[in-house]
Amino acid sequence: VEGVDFLQIESTYGGREHSEKANSIVEMGRLVRETLARNGKVIVPAFSVGRTQQIVYELHQMTDDGSLPKVPIFVDSPLSVNATEVYRLHPECFNDSIYRYLRERANPFGMENLTYIRELAHSMKLNDLQEPAIIISASGMCEAGRIRHHLKNHIGNPNNLVLFIGYCAEHTLGAQILSGRSPVNIFGEPHPVRAKIAAFDTFSGHADRNELGRYVEALDGRIQKIFVVHGEESQSLALAEKLARMKPGAQVLVPQQADAVTV
């Protein structure tokens, strides 16, 4: 971007770097295989747009190369189903690797053992499922949607795995689970957390500290002020410190609630 005078920048991962993707996918595959081998279920809280499609694509690749058994996989979220259909209809927007997969192998978001669920009645039938399975459901922070029902039914079983692939804001149910709290309240009732919990930030749609820094380095213009927003306090302050070193001529601010600035 050219001629930048004032910059407002997010800081969700302003003080952190994402894990290396290849290693994360290998580790995720290992955890999923171990869970399925002990007849458990993998519950994946995932945002409907972006994260759901990414995890479906990765699971498809693992199934194709034989590193994952062909177990039932369910995407249980009306919004996720609708969003995935939009993705499928626009291959011109795919990156090179996904487009090549589509051209040479198969629909990246569809396979024989994958079922997309819109209807509530079909979602409820998953409660009676006895065999190992992978259930992907929204919302990613576990604050709303059908994922809460799946957590209620499965988070108490030590054979199961709850796999987080997106960011969970402070105080959300997802953040409570990730922090190790047990029991957690779901629909107003306490539920002990006995399932295995894992998280991978490699699928995040937010840039990490280094990516944000590279973006700012590439900007053109004499930046007067930088406003660091959209992040927990520790992450915002860490990024602000980094940007102050990078742009010594700019005033770097971390706004607080009700702050007002005239530009």
Side-chain angles (χ1 to χ4, degrees):
V1 181
E2 297 181 350
V4 178
D5 300 304
F6 301 92
L7 171 66
Q8 182 170 273
I9 188 168
E10 68 126 316
S11 56
T12 308
Y13 288 92
R16 291 175 283 186
E17 297 173 22
H18 292 324
S19 305
E20 203 280 320
K21 186 173 183 179
N23 293 338
S24 294
I25 291 174
V26 169
E27 176 63 11
M28 183 182 73
R30 182 186 67 80
L31 291 173
V32 172
R33 286 193 301 274
E34 288 179 354
T35 302
L36 300 175
R38 58 177 179 262
N39 205 40
K41 295 182 178 62
V42 180
I43 309 299
V44 186
F47 297 104
S48 296
V49 180
R51 304 297 80 70
T52 290
Q53 292 75 33
Q54 280 186 298
I55 191 66
V56 166
Y57 175 57
E58 295 298 341
L59 293 173
H60 196 165
Q61 289 185 299
M62 291 181 190
T63 303
D64 278 358
D65 65 23
S67 62
L68 196 68
K70 191 174 286 188
V71 300
I73 301 173
F74 301 94
V75 174
D76 183 24
S77 162
L79 180 56
S80 298
V81 175
N82 293 339
T84 303
E85 182 65 9
V86 173
Y87 272 73
R88 190 187 65 79
L89 290 172
H90 291 278
E92 73 276 7
C93 298
F94 294 172
N95 63 29
D96 290 342
S97 62
I98 295 181
Y99 187 77
R100 186 167 57 252
Y101 191 91
L102 171 68
R103 189 177 67 251
E104 298 176 358
R105 302 180 71 174
N107 171 13
F109 311 121
M111 48 186 153
E112 291 179 1
N113 56 316
L114 174 63
T115 303
Y116 288 93
I117 298 176
R118 281 192 175 94
E119 300 298 326
L120 179 60
H122 294 164
S123 174
M124 293 175 66
K125 287 182 180 179
L126 295 181
N127 297 336
D128 302 323
L129 194 65
Q130 299 299 316
E131 60 186 311
I134 300 172
I135 300 173
I136 305 162
S137 188
S139 71
M141 296 190 192
C142 309
E143 280 294 286
R146 295 179 182 175
I147 188 62
R148 293 178 298 166
H149 295 275
H150 297 302
L151 290 173
K152 175 184 175 181
N153 292 320
H154 299 296
I155 203 168
N157 187 338
N159 289 333
N160 296 336
L161 168 68
V162 180
L163 180 64
F164 287 90
I165 58 170
Y167 176 76
C168 289
E170 191 177 7
H171 305 306
T172 61
L173 176 57
Q176 293 173 30
I177 294 170
L178 284 169
S179 71
R181 180 179 297 185
S182 181
V184 292
N185 282 336
I186 304 175
F187 297 117
E189 298 179 352
H191 291 269
V193 179
R194 299 191 182 98
K196 186 176 181 64
I197 310 298
F200 294 92
D201 61 17
T202 187
F203 297 100
S204 176
H206 293 276
D208 66 11
R209 174 178 58 191
N210 292 338
E211 292 168 320
L212 292 168
R214 288 196 295 271
Y215 173 79
V216 174
E217 281 182 339
L219 296 176
D220 175 65
R222 299 185 63 178
I223 301 176
Q224 299 175 37
K225 293 182 180 180
I226 300 175
F227 305 100
V228 181
V229 299
H230 197 286
E232 295 174 10
E233 184 177 17
S234 61
Q235 300 301 306
S236 298
L237 292 173
L239 182 60
E241 184 179 337
K242 176 185 178 73
L243 296 181
R245 293 194 301 268
M246 290 176 54
K247 298 289 183 180
Q251 182 182 7
V252 183
L253 304 170
V254 180
Q256 298 185 35
Q257 186 172 356
D259 281 358
V261 180
T262 301
V263 297

